[in-house]
Amino acid sequence: MAEKRRGFRNAFKIIFILLLVLGAVAAWIGYQAFIGPSVTDKQEYLYVKTDDTFDDVMRAVTEQQIVKNPAFFRYIAEAMEYPKSVKPGRYKLTEGMSNRRLIGNLRGGYQEAVKFRFENLRLKENFAALLGKNFEADSTTFIEILDNEELAESYGFTVDNFFTMFIPNTYEIYWNTPPNKIVARFHEEYNKFWTTERKKKAAALNLTPQEVSVLASIVKGEALHTDEMPDIAGLYLNRLEKGMLLQADPTVIFANSDFTIRRVLNRHLTIDNPYNTYRYKGLPPGPIMLPSIASIDAVLNHSKHDYIYMCAKDDFSGYHNFARTQAEHLINARKFQRALNERNIMR
């Protein structure tokens, strides 16, 4: 009997130890699955599309190696009822983040906004491509919006000058925001930018804000240096006031759709296009590039002078020689043409 009791006690001890070991293993697994470090350093963000299901999220998590153990992620996700609460968005991933924290963010839709900055864009297509790269909707959707005449008119623009509504700046916008709401966000910024003071300055020039922006795009296309923009703006305003052709080389390059042109030649000037300011008086129907805030303000706060001609300096500094008469201008032009020839810049 004594031996039997010792046997029972030994068996009980073994079972107890086994249960302790199993309990410790279970606790360790639970810790790892629930609050232990799970997220890897493979990706910076997890993108959940608008129509994604839980299976789509699991596929992304697995294929992109976002977590160390997808099985643990699935178990915790189901325990937290995430499959019923999938929300689209761009979710920030931090190495070592737990499944609980990640799934909590996903369930709550706690995504990180895109800090979207744009400037130095030439064409609407460039802008649409940049939008498509940064947000859920693709570039085709955005170009369709930018070319939508009815939408442009609803905001007070034409389809030609609609591009001037987008003020270069940094915007915080959620990745999955619908394209029409993204455009509405830009319109809000446009209204903030065009203060009463700026509108008064535009009216004093007999220009609408859209026309100021179109002229500003030409100023930006002509100026390599911000400090020269007010002088260039003043020159073009002088020509407009006198009823002269603007004769702005950047508009000719735009009209020819050839942005490799470094030397505008007579053959470039013959193109019959409303953006060719060597043939058509006044401002073109739209911007030749996205105007910068600096170029818009340069028009509104232009230098007051009587220059009506300018030509790039022959030292290729990016600055211009300004002239009041055609005779002065021809002297400057010959110097620059000679410098182009010396550098073998023929087109």
Side-chain angles (χ1 to χ4, degrees), residues 43-336:
Q43 303 293 335
E44 187 176 1
Y45 293 96
L46 170 60
Y47 293 89
V48 180
K49 296 179 181 178
T50 297
D51 297 323
D52 275 357
T53 64
F54 176 62
D55 286 338
D56 293 320
V57 175
M58 278 305 309
R59 189 176 301 110
V61 166
T62 303
E63 293 178 354
Q64 296 174 35
Q65 300 179 330
I66 286 173
V67 297
K68 297 175 182 177
N69 191 319
F72 284 173
F73 177 87
R74 176 184 286 276
Y75 175 76
I76 301 303
E78 290 174 348
M80 294 177 66
E81 299 186 340
Y82 172 58
K84 299 177 184 177
S85 306
V86 175
K87 294 180 176 66
R90 170 181 178 262
Y91 296 94
K92 176 70 175 175
L93 300 172
T94 304
E95 185 181 4
M97 180 186 287
S98 69
N99 285 325
R100 178 189 178 188
R101 174 76 181 278
L102 174 57
I103 294 163
N105 289 345
L106 296 172
R107 268 190 86 219
Y110 303 134
Q111 60 171 309
E112 183 177 282
V114 175
K115 289 185 178 179
F116 181 65
R117 181 170 183 81
F118 60 94
E119 57 186 346
N120 297 325
L121 295 172
R122 186 181 294 280
L123 303 171
K124 286 189 290 187
E125 289 79 6
N126 302 140
F127 189 42
L130 189 62
L131 287 164
K133 181 181 178 182
N134 282 272
F135 297 101
E136 182 179 11
D138 61 20
S139 59
T140 302
T141 300
F142 283 111
I143 197 63
E144 287 173 355
I145 285 177
L146 294 174
D147 285 337
N148 187 313
E149 186 172 359
E150 186 177 344
L151 180 64
E153 290 176 356
S154 73
Y155 283 115
F157 296 80
T158 67
V159 72
D160 290 315
N161 65 30
F162 193 24
F163 199 23
T164 64
M165 192 185 82
F166 303 92
I167 303 296
N169 213 327
T170 300
Y171 299 78
E172 290 196 3
I173 303 173
Y174 288 119
W175 172 77
N176 58 306
T177 302
N180 61 324
K181 290 188 177 181
I182 292 177
V183 172
R185 171 72 179 83
F186 289 131
H187 185 244
E188 289 176 11
E189 185 67 21
Y190 179 84
N191 287 336
K192 290 177 185 176
F193 174 81
W194 278 100
T195 59
T196 300
E197 182 183 2
R198 281 192 172 106
K199 287 179 180 177
K200 283 181 179 178
K201 288 181 178 180
L205 298 173
N206 293 317
L207 298 175
T208 65
Q210 293 91 333
E211 289 171 332
V212 168
S213 293
V214 170
L215 180 54
S217 76
I218 299 174
V219 171
K220 187 175 189 311
E222 195 74 69
L224 287 182
H225 303 285
T226 302
D227 62 347
E228 197 181 45
M229 285 182 176
D231 292 332
I232 295 172
L235 182 148
Y236 284 133
L237 286 166
N238 288 344
R239 295 183 77 93
L240 284 174
E241 188 177 356
K242 293 176 182 293
M244 299 174 68
L245 290 165
L246 289 184
Q247 295 185 327
D249 286 358
T251 68
V252 175
I253 293 171
F254 183 88
N256 280 271
S257 297
D258 184 356
F259 303 109
T260 66
I261 295 173
R262 297 177 64 195
R263 183 173 188 171
V264 174
L265 304 172
N266 287 332
R267 61 184 173 85
H268 299 132
L269 305 180
T270 60
I271 188 169
D272 187 9
N273 185 300
Y275 284 85
N276 181 0
T277 58
Y278 276 80
R279 293 193 63 172
Y280 288 85
K281 272 189 179 181
L283 293 167
I288 60 167
M289 62 175 57
L290 190 70
S292 63
I293 290 176
S295 64
I296 293 172
D297 283 339
V299 173
L300 296 176
N301 303 289
H302 63 282
S303 300
K304 292 177 173 58
H305 53 63
D306 54 359
Y307 296 128
I308 53 175
Y309 299 99
M310 68 178 174
C311 180
K313 287 188 174 183
D314 58 341
D315 61 0
F316 292 91
S317 63
Y319 285 98
H320 293 78
N321 285 314
F322 294 87
R324 297 174 178 84
T325 67
Q326 190 172 31
E328 290 177 84
H329 173 63
L330 287 175
I331 292 172
N332 295 330
R334 288 192 190 101
K335 287 181 182 177
F336 184 60

